[in-house]
């Protein structure tokens, strides 16, 4: 349509449209398709959360508009969680704002800080919302390549000085989607320094901060000394509690950034259903949380090991990721990531995601989401092993 605004027309081509079409065709042919494309947890929200939701949903006082700043109990639950899990003190009045899922806040933060001609630093490969939020706000994304040889951490010294000076925000995401990489404390410290030097705000996306394996437990960006002066962290209940459809998350940290986001939001949405916020309180404060999440970690860890072993058997060079529920693997020589994904789909009925969909530095990789049960995953890997060899 001619009349759509530039911001809609400039949206990047939807790389997955082509694949979706092929999946559709396969399904129509009766192929037993196994979808390892989208990272949407396959197991249900825990009972203890659902029960609280059932109690809250019938209360008439929960049916009205929620308070703009979110219900007090939810903000306090987030503060308690940060204290207990990360040893980070947060003021529930000034340093926490509930979000309609963290994607919402991530998409809107650029509207709060980025003027036309400003730059935001975004990782590539990465969750597409960082760059798109930037474009919607009229800013320019400046890519920070995430390279294997650097552990998929951006090399801050490689950022052009001119871009760093114009930059308002730097997006980071560890544990990382799509690479499964984790950040060292030293890297976070370096990022705080960099933010100070160039007077920019770090937006840390911590969606996978509870999905970690072996004895590794992710660091919150806010654990770093001085982080609260320069950073806002986005958290989500989606992946930790299998609540992707509920739409609940939060932003925490620097009070100026939190307040700006809050002010923006009061003008575009009217907050989260109160019953959902109380369910969120339950999620974060019930003593069932730790055993539930521990179980979840074990489940994904078993799936991780299954996929990594299968890929290693066919000669794919990769290390098991320490966190996230993704396997980021190189494609065999002779294929682009899109070609390889099509090859797999056409020959096995298994859907995986081409790395190119996460940016140009995603080329040469594909992503497997560990969000189907072990027997289906086993089946998928058997099929892949039947048609793929790394030389
Ligand atoms: C899933 C995901 C999110 C957001 O999830 P919400 O459901 O919006 O809270 C944010 N960032 C990354 C990297 C994700 O993978």
């Amino acid at each position: 349509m001619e009349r759509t605004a530039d911001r809609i027309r400039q949206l990047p081509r939807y790389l997955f449209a082509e694949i979706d079409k092929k999946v559709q065709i396969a399904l129509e042919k009766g192929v037993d398709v196994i979808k390892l494309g989208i990272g949407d947890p396959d197991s249900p929200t825990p009972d203890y959360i659902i029960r609280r939701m059932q109690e809250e949903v019938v209360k008439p006082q929960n049916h009205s508009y929620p308070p703009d700043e979110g219900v007090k109990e939810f903000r306090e639950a987030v503060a308690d969680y940060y204290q207990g899990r990360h040893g980070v003190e947060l003021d529930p009045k000034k340093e926490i704002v509930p979000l309609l899922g963290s994607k919402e806040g991530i998409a809107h933060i650029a509207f709060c800080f980025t003027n036309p001609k400003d730059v935001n630093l975004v990782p590539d490969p990465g969750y597409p919302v960082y760059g798109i939020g930037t474009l919607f706000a009229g800013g320019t994304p400046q890519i920070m390549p995430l390279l294997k040889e650097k552990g998929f951490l951006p090399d801050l010294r490689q950022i052009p000085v001119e871009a760093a000076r114009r930059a308002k925000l730097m997006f980071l995401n560890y544990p990382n989607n799509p690479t499964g990489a984790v950040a060292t404390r030293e890297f976070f410290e370096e990022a705080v320094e960099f933010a100070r030097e160039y007077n920019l705000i770090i937006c840390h996306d911590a969606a996978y901060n509870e999905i970690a394996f072996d004895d590794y437990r992710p660091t919150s960006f806010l654990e770093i000394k001085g982080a609260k002066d320069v950073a806002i962290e986005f958290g989500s209940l989606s992946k930790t509690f299998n609540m992707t459809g509920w739409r609940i998350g939060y932003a925490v940290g620097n009070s100026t950034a939190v307040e700006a986001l809050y002010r923006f939001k009061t003008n575009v949405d009217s907050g989260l259903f109160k019953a959902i916020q109380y369910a969120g309180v339950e999620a974060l404060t019930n003593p069932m949380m730790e055993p539930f999440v521990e179980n979840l970690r074990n489940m994904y860890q078993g799936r991780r090991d299954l996929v990594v072993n299968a890929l290693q058997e066919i000669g794919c060079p990769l290390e098991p990721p320490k966190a996230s529920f993704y396997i980021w693997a190189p494609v065999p020589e002779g294929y682009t990531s899109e070609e390889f994904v099509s090859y797999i789909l056409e020959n096995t009925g298994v859907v995986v995601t081409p790395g190119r969909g996460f940016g140009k530095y995603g080329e040469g990789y594909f992503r497997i989401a560990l969000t189907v049960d072990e027997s289906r995953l086993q089946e998928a890997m058997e099929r892949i092993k039947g048609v793929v060899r790394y030389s």
Side-chain angles (χ1 to χ4, degrees), residues 101-103 106 127 130 173 177 205 207-208 236 238-239 247:
S102 62
K103 182 179 188 176
I106 292 165
Y127 187 57
Y130 315 131
N173 164 222
N177 176 9
D205 178 351
Y208 297 91
S236 174
S238 289
K239 313 293 164 55
R247 311 314 302 136

Side-chain angles (χ1 to χ4, degrees), residues 251-291:
V252 296
N254 182 269
S255 59
T256 307
V258 166
E259 209 245 349
L261 188 56
Y262 159 74
R263 283 176 57 193
F264 180 88
K265 283 174 57 55
T266 57
N267 287 285
V268 301
D269 68 58
S270 298
L272 293 73
F273 185 21
K274 279 181 268 187
I276 292 179
Q277 296 192 54
Y278 289 117
V281 171
E282 200 64 38
L284 292 169
T285 61
N286 190 298
M288 286 298 292
M289 172 180 174
E290 199 36 52

Side-chain angles (χ1 to χ4, degrees), residues 39-41 99-106 126-130 172-178 205-208 234-239 243-250 325-326 367:
D40 192 353
L99 300 172
L100 296 155
S102 62
K103 182 179 188 176
E104 178 260 300
I106 292 165
Y127 187 57
V129 185
Y130 315 131
L172 295 173
N173 164 222
Y174 294 97
N176 185 258
N177 176 9
D205 178 351
Y208 297 91
F234 294 91
S236 174
L237 277 62
S238 289
K239 313 293 164 55
M243 291 177 78
T244 49
W246 294 59
R247 311 314 302 136
I248 178 166
Y250 49 81
F325 49 52
Y326 302 108
R367 191 191 75 176

Side-chain angles (χ1 to χ4, degrees), residues 124-137:
D124 179 333
Y127 187 57
V129 185
Y130 315 131
I132 289 172
T134 300
L135 290 171
F136 277 176

Side-chain angles (χ1 to χ4, degrees), residues 110-111 113-119 134-140 166 168:
F111 286 88
F113 288 99
T114 309
N115 288 314
K117 297 207 168 61
D118 287 343
V119 163
T134 300
L135 290 171
F136 277 176
T140 305
R166 286 168 61 201
K168 284 292 183 67

Side-chain angles (χ1 to χ4, degrees), residues 280-335:
V281 171
E282 200 64 38
L284 292 169
T285 61
N286 190 298
M288 286 298 292
M289 172 180 174
E290 199 36 52
F292 170 78
V293 179
E294 190 52 28
N295 237 343
L296 195 73
R297 292 183 193 114
N298 290 336
M299 180 185 80
Y300 288 128
Q301 188 170 323
R303 295 175 182 180
R304 174 199 69 169
D305 293 343
L306 187 161
V307 170
V308 168
N309 290 339
L311 288 171
Q312 285 174 341
E313 272 176 49
I314 51 176
C316 175
L318 90 169
E319 296 286 318
K322 289 197 178 75
S324 86
F325 49 52
Y326 302 108
I327 303 298
W328 183 247
V331 303
E333 238 165 273
Y335 296 95

